[in-house]
């Protein structure tokens, strides 16, 4: 077996006194799709943001494609070019058209010429089904369209790994499907993906593995059938029952050790 | 019917709410009209016209008031504004720097130049700089000195405006740029500053208006006949003709520029408000 595409070793992250990640070990192989689930404040978004060093880990190591990101001498900008990131709030550049959102990073960061950048942009917009919106500005697009443009923008950089931080959480329910369809297509194409999500159907269908986090640690890590279908831990069961049927939840004293880390 | 129901009913006695509103409004109009009449009656119109509105003197100012005085005012303002813009951006970036001393220097600069009267700064440039640094010459003569004075003042205000604008750009923009592989400096230049600039366009226009008015202080630098701007031009002519008409004409020339600029600023503000929504 080849070495894993993403490797996280004994990762800790604190915000002041708030110990959000308490020793995470995780490996994701090339072409694997891993969904990270867990209650809010469990540290799953922080973990994802540590993988491309948007958050600086307090302790531990992160490797992507064999390069150690936590090495202080690493050229972080160069490594990030290989890691695509999709945010909950899309974060498109509002002062640029859709095409410019895709071409500007290619030209400024990768040094591609205008024609090449435009070609790559058009290809990727077509991939996410938004070729006709090339000249539009982000503010005129729906949330689902904006998120697909954001995915296309990340893809235009030719990443080896894609990170998704709750990509559908800010969307109206009827728009979620289009975004998930694009992600499913990427998964089928063999992209290595790490997805923080609450979409259990997507996780069950598309993920190769599901990781359940709670209280800053990985509680369970296994196939979707096992983690979602037949969870071993009480905490996982509890979380899933609340998620799948929120109306049945009862008022409780304390659900688990509430950490309340920043959930972006 | 309960007590509350009774209280919510229109009152039968005295003035209704509508009548009260009408009365209050009527009083305000009466006060206004009375004030206008009082001023009109008490003013000595003949004397005012003689002092401020002598067609002959106004004609005498033409066309120099535009081709020389207004042109110079615009020239001083624009050069000062451009200098202030560049310096202001640098100071704003220093203020946001992670290097402590940069932040302190920028903070001190802003406090000093916002806290001092513009007049003092011009006196300082006119008198103190040549004395303190004998032999040094500010390039560009009076124009250079004027631009420097206005630029130093404008930079302090614009730095704060820039800082607010940069901080108003959502944090996710920097994160998105960084995650695409932009270096911090590149992200600042390509992504953050262009957005900040749009946000601060209305306040920047107001600062341009401020500098336009402050350009009158250039007269403290000791200007030649050819370098006179509106205020100096008006004042000189007022003293040679012993009449205030040139002051009024110069004032109108300021308004000729500041009122449209103010209008532009408000339009930009309204547009920015709409874009946020």
């Amino acid at each position: 077996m080849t070495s894993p595409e993403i490797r996280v070793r004994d990762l800790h992250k604190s915000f002041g006194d708030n110990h959000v990640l308490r020793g995470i070990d995780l490996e994701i192989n090339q072409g694997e799709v891993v969904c990270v689930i867990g209650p809010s404040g469990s540290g799953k978004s922080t973990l994802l943001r540590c993988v491309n060093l948007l958050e600086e880990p307090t302790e531990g190591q992160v490797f992507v494609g064999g390069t150690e990101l936590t090495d202080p001498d690493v050229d972080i900008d160069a490594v990030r070019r290989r890691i695509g990131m999709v945010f909950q709030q899309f974060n498109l550049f509002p002062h640029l058209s859709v095409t410019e959102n895709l071409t500007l990073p290619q030209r400024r960061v990768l040094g591609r010429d205008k024609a090449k950048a435009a070609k790559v942009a058009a290809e990727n917009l077509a991939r996410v089904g938004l070729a006709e919106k090339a000249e539009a500005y982000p503010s005129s697009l729906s949330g689902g369209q904006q998120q697909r443009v954001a995915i296309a923008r990340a893809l235009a950089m030719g990443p080896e790994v894609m990170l998704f931080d709750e990509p559908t959480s800010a969307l109206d329910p009827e728009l979620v499907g289009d975004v998930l369809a694009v992600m499913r297509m990427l998964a089928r194409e063999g992209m290595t993906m790490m997805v923080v999500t609450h979409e259990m159907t997507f996780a069950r269908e598309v993920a190769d593995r599901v990781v359940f986090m709670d209280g800053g640690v990985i509680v369970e890590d296994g196939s979707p059938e096992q983690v979602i279908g037949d969870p071993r831990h009480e905490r996982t069961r509890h979380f899933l029952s609340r998620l799948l049927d929120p109306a049945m939840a009862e008022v409780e004293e304390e659900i688990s050790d509430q950490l309340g880390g920043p959930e972006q | 019917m309960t007590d509350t129901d009774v209280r919510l009913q229109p009152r039968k006695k005295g003035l209704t709410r509508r009548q009260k509103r009408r009365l209050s409004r009527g009083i305000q109009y009466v006060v206004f009209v009375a004030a206008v009449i009082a001023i009109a009656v008490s003013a000595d119109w003949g004397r005012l016209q003689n002092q401020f509105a002598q067609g002959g003197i106004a004609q005498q100012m033409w066309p120099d008031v535009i081709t020389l005085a207004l042109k110079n005012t615009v020239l001083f303002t624009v050069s000062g504004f451009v200098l202030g813009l560049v310096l202001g951006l640098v100071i704003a970036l220093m203020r946001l720097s992670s290097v402590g001393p940069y932040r302190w220097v920028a903070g001190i600069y802003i406090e000093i130049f916002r806290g001092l009267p513009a007049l003092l700064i011009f006196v300082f440039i006119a008198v103190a700089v040549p004395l303190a640094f004998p032999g040094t010459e500010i390039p560009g003569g009076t124009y250079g000195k004027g631009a420097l004075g206005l630029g130093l003042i404008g930079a302090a205000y614009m730095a704060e405006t820039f800082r607010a604008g940069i901080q108003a750009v959502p944090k996710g923009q920097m994160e998105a740029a960084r995650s695409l592989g932009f270096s911090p400096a590149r992200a600042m230049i390509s992504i953050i500053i262009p957005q900040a600039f749009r946000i601060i366009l209305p306040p920047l226009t107001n600062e341009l208006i401020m500098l336009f008015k402050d350009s009158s202080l250039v007269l403290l630098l000791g200007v030649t006949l050819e370098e006179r701007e509106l205020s100096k031009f008006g004042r000189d002519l007022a003293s040679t003709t012993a009449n205030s008409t040139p002051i009024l004409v110069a004032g109108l020339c300021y308004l000729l520029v500041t009122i449209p600029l103010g209008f532009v600023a408000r339009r930009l503000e309204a547009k920015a408000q709409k874009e946020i929504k």
Side-chain angles (χ1 to χ4, degrees):
Chain A
M1 204 165 102
T2 52
S3 68
E5 188 70 28
I6 299 175
R7 198 162 96 220
V8 174
R9 266 170 52 180
D10 193 31
L11 190 72
H12 289 258
K13 173 69 185 174
S14 303
F15 296 99
D17 289 338
N18 191 359
H19 207 159
V20 178
L21 296 179
R22 304 167 172 246
I24 302 281
D25 288 281
L26 182 68
E27 290 189 356
I28 297 176
N29 291 317
Q30 207 179 359
E32 222 177 357
V33 177
V34 174
C35 283
V36 184
I37 61 172
S40 77
S42 60
K44 54 193 193 303
S45 277
T46 307
L47 170 62
L48 192 80
R49 291 161 61 86
C50 280
V51 172
N52 72 349
L53 236 65
L54 274 185
E55 300 292 354
E56 192 95 32
T58 314
E59 224 185 289
Q61 289 171 301
V62 176
F63 297 85
V64 174
T67 312
E68 187 191 342
L69 274 72
T70 35
D71 179 351
D73 289 327
V74 79
D75 179 357
I76 187 66
D77 297 327
V79 187
R80 282 192 182 131
R81 285 166 213 166
R82 309 207 310 248
I83 310 171
M85 174 108 174
V86 176
F87 298 86
Q88 186 179 346
Q89 298 296 341
F90 331 132
N91 294 346
L92 291 179
F93 304 135
H95 62 303
L96 302 175
S97 73
V98 165
T99 297
E100 287 164 342
N101 260 279
L102 271 71
T103 52
L104 185 83
Q106 293 182 62
R107 297 181 61 193
R108 293 280 184 280
V109 175
L110 302 176
R112 284 183 185 155
D113 63 47
K114 213 171 172 176
K116 164 92 174 158
K119 188 166 161 283
V120 174
E123 283 167 10
N124 282 291
L125 281 179
R127 268 172 100 184
V128 300
L130 287 173
E132 81 279 15
K133 295 287 183 193
E135 298 313 315
Y137 276 80
S139 57
S140 69
L141 302 181
S142 74
Q145 291 171 330
Q146 289 193 46
Q147 191 60 296
R148 279 145 70 197
V149 172
I151 294 173
R153 178 175 70 180
L155 291 176
M157 306 299 281
E160 293 155 23
V161 175
M162 286 284 285
L163 308 177
F164 294 85
D165 188 3
E166 302 200 28
T168 57
S169 296
L171 298 179
D172 290 334
E174 78 273 19
L175 302 175
V176 168
D178 290 339
V179 173
L180 292 182
V182 169
M183 290 167 65
R184 201 173 289 127
M185 171 194 79
L186 280 180
R188 263 203 307 273
E189 288 174 9
M191 176 65 76
T192 309
M193 291 162 66
M194 184 169 169
V195 186
V196 171
T197 187
H198 291 295
E199 299 292 336
M200 288 306 132
T201 321
F202 176 83
R204 207 192 274 262
E205 251 180 67
V206 181
D208 298 302
R209 261 164 61 209
V210 172
V211 170
F212 173 72
M213 279 182 74
D214 192 14
V217 294
I218 292 179
V219 177
E220 230 167 308
D221 178 352
S223 70
E225 296 77 35
Q226 187 254 301
V227 177
I228 299 175
D230 179 24
R232 292 207 185 101
H233 288 77
E234 178 52 37
R235 283 201 273 180
T236 320
R237 263 197 293 271
H238 189 99
F239 169 73
L240 286 169
S241 69
R242 289 194 141 235
L243 194 71
L244 297 174
D245 199 356
M248 293 304 292
E250 284 164 27
V251 179
E252 288 171 61
E253 283 286 303
E254 204 169 345
I255 296 155
S256 60
D257 44 334
Q258 290 275 342
L259 282 154
E263 202 71 28
Q264 299 286 328
Chain B
M1 241 192 223
T2 65
D3 277 3
T4 27
D5 286 334
V6 173
R7 247 179 276 144
L8 290 172
Q9 292 296 312
R11 285 174 55 178
K12 298 278 175 337
K13 268 189 280 178
L15 293 172
T16 63
R17 287 199 154 265
R18 210 182 324 170
Q19 283 169 329
K20 271 191 197 159
R21 260 201 313 266
R22 237 184 254 160
L23 183 66
S24 136
R25 195 165 261 247
I27 291 172
Q28 291 181 52
Y29 276 111
V30 169
V31 169
F32 179 76
V33 171
V36 170
I37 290 173
I39 291 169
V41 169
S42 64
D44 185 342
W45 288 104
R47 193 166 165 171
L48 278 178
Q49 193 187 357
N50 186 40
Q51 190 58 239
F52 281 109
Q54 292 227 2
I57 295 176
Q59 237 162 37
Q60 202 185 317
M61 294 170 76
W62 188 265
D64 277 1
V65 68
I66 302 292
T67 56
L68 179 86
L70 182 60
K71 187 203 80 181
N72 274 334
T73 295
V74 169
L75 209 60
F76 281 121
T77 308
V78 169
S79 53
F81 186 72
V82 170
L83 184 69
L85 208 60
V86 174
L87 192 60
L89 182 57
V90 172
I91 292 168
L93 291 175
M94 283 170 70
R95 192 109 168 83
L96 295 168
S97 161
S98 54
V99 183
Y102 281 167
R103 282 201 307 274
W104 307 331
V105 168
I108 291 167
Y109 178 92
I110 291 167
E111 291 307 327
I112 289 178
F113 280 88
R114 271 202 320 189
L116 287 177
L119 185 123
L120 267 190
I121 293 165
F122 274 93
V123 171
F124 189 80
I125 290 172
V127 181
V129 171
L131 286 180
F133 308 100
T136 55
E137 185 70 33
I138 295 168
T142 312
Y143 288 106
K145 283 187 205 165
L148 182 67
L150 291 173
L152 288 175
I153 298 159
Y157 288 93
M158 286 189 244
E160 283 296 89
T161 308
F162 267 120
R163 182 179 64 89
I166 287 169
Q167 286 178 334
V169 176
K171 217 178 83 198
Q173 292 290 312
M174 181 53 105
E175 288 184 350
R178 292 306 309 277
S179 73
L180 286 162
F182 281 88
S183 69
R186 271 244 170 87
M188 197 47 118
I189 293 166
S190 308
I191 307 297
I192 306 296
I193 289 178
Q195 291 185 54
F197 209 79
R198 291 182 155 202
I199 297 171
I200 64 169
L201 217 47
L204 272 189
T205 316
N206 287 327
E207 269 139 36
L208 181 62
I209 293 172
M210 187 190 82
L211 287 187
F212 191 74
K213 294 186 292 173
D214 281 349
S215 69
S216 59
L217 295 166
V218 165
L219 65 87
L220 293 166
L221 299 174
V223 295
T224 66
L225 283 180
E226 285 304 298
E227 291 166 347
R228 287 180 303 174
E229 42 61 64
L230 279 172
S231 293
K232 173 82 171 152
F233 184 83
R235 241 176 51 147
D236 283 1
L237 219 64
S239 57
T240 52
T241 59
N243 189 279
S244 302
T245 306
I247 303 281
L248 184 80
V249 174
L252 289 176
C253 286
Y254 279 106
L255 294 180
L256 202 68
V257 174
T258 53
I259 289 176
L261 271 180
F263 179 74
V264 167
R266 280 193 300 280
R267 281 290 294 274
L268 288 170
E269 215 163 321
K271 208 175 136 216
Q273 277 295 322
K274 232 167 57 190
E275 269 173 23
I276 289 166
K277 280 176 195 162

